[in-house]
């Protein structure tokens, strides 16, 4: 690193990996893809560290990089799938898990930006203002993307898995 | 908006497994490489070169050190930029054929082929974005396409496909999508149907090299794998007591692989014959970017950015600006192709070895 701040980068990233992995996992729904996404994100952070460290809210800036990397991967398509991943770990059995898998598959079909907004708002529990900052858009856009995303999710689930879910408390 | 929908969605709020594959050291070394190659961007050194490639092998009893001085008796002339259409912004060479007469690459996001120093073709906007390989007959291949003698042909595949290499007799190998996985594939000729190459347990992978005899090398789960006689994984890289090192950048000519690994926090260049032990490369080519059929390796010293060709035991300097890379080396070493830091470039060299 040209300005000799590599130690600062390592210290920062070391402390943030658990949070980055969690957000990446919520976006990807898959351990290996999540780790690949975090690996790519921290590599980009290294390259841009001189700018990142000056950001007003470093964590949000870093989460923006992660979300954009996720969106870029979704756009680019299959050949971005990284090599070198081992087979998925076996999913635990059970009806709740099956439901989650159906849900996860449905969420993956929601347009990527709407998907990211839903994940940040409802799975990562972030307020609208923060989601807007991470997504680089207005709060109004976050609200409309939320509505569109939920509508899309309902439509996908309704079309393909009608009757699969019980709309009560989570099991 | 329904609270039910949101509660339903919140069932997905779970955490990843505790086992993390995230590696800060790898991010630092890859980040350094990207900083060096910023202007080259995701360009001249093609996707194949930047794939993370764990390979393994037994270690040499002691790492060899190379103190051979850069040769004075032989050398390369300053690079000459290859012709591009007026107004082109970014161009680079990705690969060349055995003779160095054909150089294949990209101009502004379109596949381009040069022949004997002249621009032969640039793909249309709806054609391939980049050529990744070319053979001695001028058959060039790229993402889902082949080109030969004025004609572009879409490679047959039921799903999106990518060609990575082509043999002199026209066998093409690469990868295609299948059920959200990437599977290695082979086309026996430009017009042939695609055939998937088997992997253990159906693992994802790509074929990256093919011989006239049909022997294919690929990357499966990050390790080199060989199809054909004695199919199986090829090398493990062990160095200085560390085992199964990750090869960060890899090039191969089918008989040798070259790349760099991170040992105890330091990047080290290595080369290894397929199924043989790894040997340390001189620092001048610590980051290998091309290899020819005689196992001559072009690479750069990441500390200085200087380009060098390791021809036999001789280190031959390749004059260039910053952020340059050699990505094609003719069998006799007289012609090199690559990127001089500004545009697609070729170098003429005199190699006495």
């Amino acid at each position: 690193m040209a300005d000799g701040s590599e130690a600062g980068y390592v210290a920062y990233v070391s402390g943030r990996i658990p949070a980055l992995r969690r957000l990446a996992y919520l976006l990807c729904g898959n351990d290996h893809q999540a780790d690949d996404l975090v690996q790519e994100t921290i590599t980009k952070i290294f390259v841009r560290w001189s700018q990142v460290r000056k950001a007003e809210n470093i964590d949000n800036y870093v989460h923006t990089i992660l979300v954009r990397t996720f969106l870029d991967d979704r756009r680019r398509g299959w050949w971005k799938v990284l090599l070198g991943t081992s087979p998925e770990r076996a999913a635990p059995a059970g009806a709740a898990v099956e439901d989650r898998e159906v849900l996860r598959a449905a969420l993956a079909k929601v347009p990527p930006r709407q998907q990211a907004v839903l994940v940040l708002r409802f799975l990562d529990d972030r307020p609208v203002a923060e989601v807007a900052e991470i997504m680089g858009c207005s709060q109004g856009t976050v609200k409309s993307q939320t509505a569109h995303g939920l509508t899309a999710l309902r439509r996908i689930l309704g079309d393909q898995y009608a009757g699969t879910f019980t709309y009560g408390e989570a099991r | 908006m329904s609270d039910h929908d949101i509660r339903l969605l919140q069932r997905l709020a779970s955490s990843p497994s505790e086992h993390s594959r995230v590696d800060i050291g790898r991010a630092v070394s890859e980040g350094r490489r990207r900083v060096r190659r910023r202007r080259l961007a995701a360009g001249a050194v093609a996707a194949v070169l930047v794939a993370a490639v764990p390979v393994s092998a037994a270690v040499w009893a002691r790492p060899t050190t190379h103190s051979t001085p850069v040769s004075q008796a032989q050398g390369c002339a300053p690079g000459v930029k290859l012709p591009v259409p007026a107004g082109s912004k970014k161009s680079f060479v990705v690969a060349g054929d055995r003779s160095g007469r054909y150089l294949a690459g990209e101009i502004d996001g379109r596949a381009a082929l040069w022949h004997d120093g002249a621009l032969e073709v640039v793909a249309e906007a709806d054609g391939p974005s980049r050529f990744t390989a070319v053979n001695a007959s001028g058959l060039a291949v790229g993402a889902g396409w082949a080109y030969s003698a004025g004609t572009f042909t879409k490679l047959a595949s039921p799903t999106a496909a990518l060609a990575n290499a082509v043999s002199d007799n026209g066998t093409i190998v690469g990868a295609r999508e299948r059920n959200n996985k990437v599977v290695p594939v082979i086309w026996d000729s430009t017009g042939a149907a695609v055939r998937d190459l088997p992997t253990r347990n159906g693992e994802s992978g790509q074929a990256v090299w093919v011989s006239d005899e049909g022997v294919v090398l690929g990357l499966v789960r990050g390790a080199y794998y060989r199809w054909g006689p004695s199919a199986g994984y090829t090398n493990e890289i062990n160095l200085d007591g560390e085992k199964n090192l990750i090869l960060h950048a890899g090039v191969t000519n089918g008989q040798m692989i070259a790349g760099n690994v991170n040992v105890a926090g330091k990047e080290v260049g290595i080369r290894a014959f397929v199924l043989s032990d790894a040997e340390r490369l001189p620092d001048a080519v610590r980051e290998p970017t091309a290899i020819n059929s005689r196992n001559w390796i072009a690479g750069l010293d990441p500390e200085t950015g200087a380009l060098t060709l390791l021809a036999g035991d001789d280190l031959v300097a390749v004059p260039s600006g910053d952020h340059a890379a050699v990505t094609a080396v003719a069998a006799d070493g007289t012609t090199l192709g690559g990127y001089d830091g500004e545009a697609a470039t070729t170098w003429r060299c005199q190699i006495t070895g």
Side-chain angles (χ1 to χ4, degrees):
Chain A
M1 213 167 276
D3 58 2
S5 58
E6 192 169 311
Y9 162 83
V10 171
Y12 172 80
V13 167
S14 304
R16 295 308 190 282
I17 282 179
L20 291 173
R21 286 187 75 231
R22 182 171 186 279
L23 178 55
Y25 182 76
L26 292 175
L27 286 165
C28 304
N30 169 304
D31 277 338
H32 289 288
Q33 286 176 17
D35 280 354
D36 287 342
L37 177 57
V38 174
Q39 186 72 40
E40 178 62 18
T41 300
I42 66 171
T43 304
K44 285 182 175 171
I45 296 170
F46 179 90
V47 172
R48 301 179 205 167
W49 181 242
S50 57
Q51 295 131 57
V52 173
R53 64 206 281 247
K54 291 180 201 148
E56 242 174 66
N57 184 333
I58 296 186
D59 285 347
N60 274 4
Y61 188 9
V62 163
H63 290 146
T64 299
I65 294 175
L66 185 139
V67 170
R68 285 191 183 156
T69 304
F70 166 76
L71 295 174
D72 285 348
D73 281 356
R74 287 285 304 269
R75 264 197 297 273
R76 264 200 289 266
W78 68 272
W79 46 83
K80 263 298 289 174
V81 175
L82 297 176
L83 300 175
T85 57
S86 48
E88 291 305 302
R89 92 198 142 110
V97 170
E98 282 169 24
D99 278 5
R100 277 206 297 274
E101 287 177 355
V102 171
L103 255 178
R104 171 54 67 187
L107 183 61
K109 288 180 183 163
V110 172
R113 285 187 69 83
Q114 294 171 17
Q115 187 187 338
V117 166
L118 292 181
V119 165
L120 288 166
R121 280 201 66 186
F122 301 124
L123 302 188
D124 211 27
D125 275 334
R126 289 172 188 264
V128 171
E130 205 172 303
V131 176
E133 188 185 337
I134 290 173
M135 297 294 295
C137 63
S138 70
Q139 294 188 31
T141 304
V142 170
K143 289 175 186 167
S144 65
Q145 298 261 22
T146 304
H148 291 314
L150 283 172
T151 305
L153 190 65
R154 282 297 311 124
R155 191 183 58 245
I156 294 162
L157 287 169
D159 287 350
Q160 298 185 19
Y161 304 103
T164 302
F165 292 96
T166 49
Y167 286 80
E169 293 300 318
R171 276 177 271 178
Chain B
M1 186 187 312
S2 149
D3 286 348
H4 285 318
D5 292 339
I6 294 168
R7 276 208 298 276
L8 178 68
L9 187 60
Q10 284 172 338
R11 290 188 198 174
L12 290 175
S14 54
S15 299
S17 72
E18 286 179 12
H19 172 69
S20 167
R21 292 187 303 120
V22 177
D23 182 342
I24 297 174
R26 188 150 58 92
V28 169
S29 60
E30 174 60 22
R32 283 193 194 126
R33 192 187 340 275
R34 287 187 198 176
V35 169
R36 288 194 302 270
R37 294 191 179 166
R38 218 165 199 167
R39 291 180 61 198
L40 192 52
V45 182
V48 170
L49 303 184
V50 297
V53 187
V55 188
S56 12
V59 71
W60 289 74
R62 294 182 62 81
T64 50
T65 52
H66 295 257
S67 53
T68 317
V70 169
S71 171
Q72 301 298 316
Q74 48 193 357
C76 298
V80 175
K81 287 187 175 52
L82 287 161
V84 295
S88 299
K89 292 191 176 74
K90 184 175 176 182
S91 59
F92 47 82
V93 170
V94 175
D97 77 316
R98 201 177 287 265
S99 69
R101 294 181 65 187
Y102 286 102
L103 296 172
E106 177 182 329
I107 300 173
D108 292 342
R110 298 182 184 197
L113 182 66
W114 292 269
H115 184 201
D116 289 337
L119 181 60
E120 177 171 327
V121 72
V122 181
E124 295 296 323
D126 59 353
S129 58
R130 177 187 298 171
F131 284 135
T132 49
V134 60
N135 73 5
S137 314
L139 169 59
V141 296
W145 291 83
Y147 165 87
S148 180
T151 304
F152 281 89
T153 308
K154 202 144 203 216
L155 293 168
S157 170
T159 56
L162 176 72
N164 285 326
V166 55
S167 68
D168 280 341
N169 64 4
T171 305
I172 300 163
V173 296
R176 76 175 183 96
E177 182 197 18
R178 191 182 67 197
N179 302 331
N180 291 322
K181 284 187 172 179
V182 180
V183 294
V185 296
I186 185 166
W187 293 267
D188 293 325
S189 65
T190 299
V194 68
R195 288 192 289 125
D196 294 351
L197 291 165
T199 56
R200 290 180 191 175
N201 306 318
E203 293 148 343
S204 286
Q206 291 197 38
V208 298
W209 180 87
V210 58
S211 74
D212 282 346
E213 295 74 35
V215 177
V216 178
L217 270 189
L219 298 169
V220 176
R221 288 185 63 187
Y224 275 98
Y225 188 91
R226 184 162 76 176
W227 291 271
S230 61
Y233 288 99
T234 58
N235 295 56
E236 289 185 354
I237 293 177
N238 307 323
L239 210 59
D240 298 354
E242 293 198 33
K243 292 182 184 296
N244 285 334
L245 292 165
I246 307 287
L247 195 58
H248 291 301
V251 290
T252 185
N253 58 9
Q255 56 188 345
M256 178 176 270
I257 56 175
N260 62 34
V261 295
N262 194 306
V263 184
K266 280 196 69 180
E267 279 186 49
V268 176
I270 61 100
R271 63 180 169 186
F273 282 104
V274 169
L275 296 169
S276 299
D277 301 340
E279 178 190 15
R280 199 179 280 251
L281 282 169
D283 278 349
V285 290
R286 192 162 81 192
E287 207 168 296
T289 52
I291 183 168
N292 75 357
S293 57
R294 294 169 73 173
N295 304 324
W296 294 357
I297 294 167
L300 55 95
D301 179 346
E303 301 296 330
T304 63
L307 306 185
T308 301
L309 176 66
L310 174 62
D313 290 328
D314 293 334
L315 291 166
V316 181
V318 181
S320 77
D322 290 341
H323 309 290
V326 172
T327 50
V329 180
D332 61 4
T334 56
T335 305
L336 311 180
Y339 177 76
D340 69 351
E342 295 174 349
T345 297
T346 183
W347 290 263
R348 302 291 296 175
C349 302
Q350 179 147 8
I351 310 292
T352 54

